[in-house]
Amino acid sequence: MPYEHPSREEIKQILSDSQTIAVVGLSEDPSKVSYMVSEAMQNKGYRIIPVNPNATSILGETSYASLKDVPVPIDIVNVFRRPEHTPPIAQQAVEAGAKVLWLQLGISNEEAATIATEGGLRIIMDRCIKVEDSILLPHGKAK
């Protein structure tokens, strides 16, 4: 079954219900999009968990080598990796018990979507989490 974007209302609910976002491919470089998006989401009140095997800490949070190393429950796995790298990330997201697999703007992969969906995760592809959050929750998360 081909992928269809969730409705705006569904995306708004996902963002409202989420606290912890594990960011796969989060760069330590403040000039990179992954850093800027994650910093903005952190400033909006989300807890950002960096997943980058080459870093020890990003945005004041401990960085983990993979999703399986993250010791806290994950609401959203936000992915900043090329599409061909996303199926194993989807499998790790399922195994980690995440609720949502979110592939950033410009990233989509049907195999990853199938793995996530069959594993019980919601899937969002080719959308920027920061843009969606800014449009749907412009005044921040309800506490």
Side-chain angles (χ1 to χ4, degrees):
M1 176 154 131
Y3 169 76
E4 289 184 29
H5 286 296
S7 70
R8 288 286 182 170
E9 199 51 47
E10 289 173 292
I11 294 173
K12 182 177 181 178
Q13 193 63 54
I14 287 168
L15 291 167
S16 294
D17 292 346
S18 298
Q19 296 294 323
T20 303
I21 304 171
V23 184
V24 178
L26 177 52
S27 174
E28 294 176 282
D29 182 347
S31 71
K32 298 288 188 183
V33 172
S34 64
Y35 187 99
M36 291 184 274
V37 166
S38 297
E39 182 179 47
M41 295 301 287
Q42 188 179 58
N43 290 338
K44 290 277 300 261
Y46 297 92
R47 179 173 181 200
I48 299 298
I49 306 291
V51 179
N52 178 335
N54 301 313
T56 55
S57 176
I58 305 172
L59 293 169
E61 293 278 355
T62 300
S63 183
Y64 297 93
S66 74
L67 288 170
K68 61 183 161 223
D69 298 321
V70 176
V72 298
I74 301 167
D75 295 314
I76 298 173
V77 173
N78 188 22
V79 182
F80 284 92
R81 297 288 314 274
R82 290 195 318 256
E84 63 268 24
H85 297 294
T86 59
I89 295 167
Q91 187 60 48
Q92 284 186 26
V94 169
E95 292 167 5
K99 297 174 186 167
V100 177
L101 178 68
W102 191 306
L103 305 185
Q104 274 297 127
L105 189 63
I107 305 169
S108 61
N109 183 294
E110 288 293 334
E111 182 184 356
T114 299
I115 292 167
T117 302
E118 290 178 355
L121 277 66
R122 302 293 307 276
I123 176 79
I124 299 169
M125 297 193 294
D126 193 23
R127 294 275 171 104
C128 177
I129 196 168
K130 176 185 176 294
V131 170
E132 296 296 320
D133 187 75
S134 295
I135 292 168
L136 300 170
L137 299 172
H139 304 294
K141 293 173 56 61
K143 300 293 178 202

